[in-house]
Amino acid sequence: MSRRAATLTLASVIVLIFALVGSFMPVPYVALMPGPTSNTLGTNEKGQPLVRIEGRQTYQDNGHLNFTTVTYRGGPGARIDLFTALRGWVDGDVAIVPEETIFPKNETQQQVDEENTRQMRDSQQNAEAAALNQLKIPISTQVIVDSVQKGKPADGKIKAGDELLAVDDNKVTSVAQVTDLMAKRKIGDPVTVTLKRSGKEQKVTLTTVASPDGKRAVVGIVLGDQYKFPFKVDISVGDVGGPSAGLMFSLAIVDKLTPGPLTGGKFIAGTGTITPEGKVGPIGGIQQKMIAAREAGATVFLTPADNCADAASARPDGLRLVRADTLDGTIKSIDALNSGKGQVPTCAG
């Protein structure tokens, strides 16, 4: 072998070695894949109704209203390698996204998990509120302290779980009311809040400080609206997190509280966040969720309007996309599907 040939062979081997080593180097990307689906009209892995209602008459529906999920590989401390990322990029069932899409910078895995759990809890409450509003069943709200910021005026005086009753003797029943009242305060102003803790009312006077952006007067508490419902709704989904099952939870509650099967026996799956007013919002991983739904047997997929463009371009064969703008509109679309009468909005226009 000539010196030139030997040099080229050696160089090729070195390049190959570097390529092989590089393919196993961790990269800051996450692989999203179709996850399990669960029928909100069925039972969970423990054999319990996934949506259980107590204190109100309920009705049976043997159809499917499945919520869909996405699983992932990767993340801080468990990054995928370059080879896995490259393989995912050419796999139609997998989406490779930047790590910060799932794990915001400066947040730990525990913080992300806690946020997903909080979002699921809020989603369930919003879903119940949306369903009861749809059925014209009266509900009321109260303001609850979610957390207290360390080093702020409320630290040590107000606790997470306290119910906020009034701001300077102005009664409040929503976070929006508190926000409006606090907007009138100047930095350094005193503010007296009335709260309930362990069934007892008490007043606390605090001196406001500047918000992080220096534009607002705050006392250092994070608030949330909590609804008071006339009967109990329990949703058991295990360790599933995030807000994207809201629409399907609402539909299941409406279905269980009204005579006759909403689904008409169809296998319907879907996704979408929900507000207490019944507005459906977009979610992530729409392609993977459609794939999971079709593999589970769904023939109809309820799709948030803002996800329609991406969904239409990746729709699996045999899956009909129904555009979901609101809870009320979605119920009417399902009724139209069952009766064959009326228009059914799709993601094709």
Side-chain angles (χ1 to χ4, degrees):
M1 180 183 295
S2 68
R3 180 177 297 179
R4 177 181 173 81
T7 300
L8 289 174
T9 300
L10 179 60
S12 299
V13 171
I14 292 174
V15 170
L16 178 61
I17 291 173
F18 275 112
L20 289 172
V21 172
S23 68
F24 291 103
M25 291 180 62
V27 291
Y29 288 89
V30 174
L32 302 181
M33 299 164 287
T37 74
S38 298
N39 185 11
T40 56
L41 301 176
T43 58
N44 60 21
E45 57 187 15
K46 296 181 180 179
Q48 303 168 334
L50 195 145
V51 176
R52 185 172 69 250
I53 299 175
E54 298 178 1
R56 192 89 171 188
Q57 182 176 358
T58 59
Y59 303 87
Q60 185 70 26
D61 185 342
N62 293 322
H64 282 255
L65 286 171
N66 282 44
F67 75 86
T68 52
T69 64
V70 171
T71 61
Y72 68 85
R73 289 180 59 190
R79 284 179 168 173
I80 59 175
D81 55 44
L82 179 59
F83 178 74
T84 300
L86 292 173
R87 187 172 57 185
W89 268 311
V90 298
D91 187 336
D93 291 357
V94 179
I96 303 297
V97 299
E99 191 174 77
E100 57 266 24
T101 304
I102 308 298
F103 301 93
K105 290 183 178 180
N106 302 320
E107 285 193 17
T108 65
Q109 174 77 54
Q110 181 179 352
Q111 289 173 319
V112 171
D113 290 343
E114 289 175 351
E115 175 63 15
N116 284 336
T117 299
R118 184 194 66 77
Q119 289 181 346
M120 173 58 81
R121 184 183 67 244
D122 291 347
S123 173
Q124 292 175 0
Q125 180 178 245
N126 288 347
E128 186 174 351
L132 269 60
N133 283 330
Q134 173 70 23
L135 297 174
K136 304 296 190 293
I137 298 174
I139 58 177
S140 58
T141 59
Q142 57 187 5
V143 182
I144 300 297
V145 178
D146 278 343
S147 61
V148 179
Q149 298 170 344
K150 291 184 178 181
K152 298 296 184 181
D155 190 13
K157 297 181 180 179
I158 297 179
K159 295 182 179 180
D162 287 347
E163 179 184 356
L164 202 64
L165 303 175
V167 175
D168 286 337
D169 294 326
N170 297 292
K171 291 184 178 180
V172 294
T173 57
S174 71
V175 174
Q177 290 177 314
V178 178
T179 301
D180 289 343
L181 290 168
M182 288 300 296
K184 301 175 183 177
R185 304 295 184 276
K186 296 180 180 179
I187 298 169
D189 281 352
V191 59
T192 299
V193 298
T194 304
L195 56 88
K196 181 185 289 186
R197 181 186 302 161
S198 302
K200 297 181 180 180
E201 290 188 17
Q202 55 183 286
K203 290 189 175 183
V204 178
T205 299
L206 306 166
T207 300
T208 62
V209 295
S211 60
D213 60 10
K215 297 180 179 180
R216 297 175 293 113
V218 299
V219 295
I221 55 177
V222 177
L223 303 174
D225 287 323
Q226 182 169 296
Y227 294 90
K228 298 173 70 174
F229 301 113
F231 49 86
K232 183 178 180 180
V233 177
D234 183 54
I235 301 175
S236 304
V237 294
D239 60 357
V240 177
S244 64
L247 171 62
M248 305 312 293
F249 291 152
S250 286
L251 289 170
I253 295 168
V254 169
D255 195 2
K256 285 175 175 284
L257 291 174
T258 52
L262 174 63
T263 66
K266 291 182 174 61
F267 195 134
I268 300 172
T271 187
T273 63
I274 196 79
T275 68
E277 297 75 30
K279 181 174 174 55
V280 178
I283 51 81
I286 188 68
Q287 180 177 348
Q288 286 68 44
K289 290 180 178 180
M290 289 191 301
I291 293 170
R294 188 69 188 103
E295 289 180 348
T299 56
V300 176
F301 191 82
L302 306 175
T303 312
D306 288 344
N307 289 120
C308 263
D310 291 335
S313 64
R315 179 185 63 84
D317 290 339
L319 193 65
R320 180 174 182 175
L321 304 185
V322 174
R323 191 179 75 240
D325 299 275
T326 65
L327 176 60
D328 182 66
T330 302
I331 292 172
K332 290 177 179 176
S333 294
I334 295 174
D335 288 341
L337 278 175
N338 291 334
S339 67
K341 300 177 181 179
Q343 293 186 338
V344 179
T346 72
C347 286

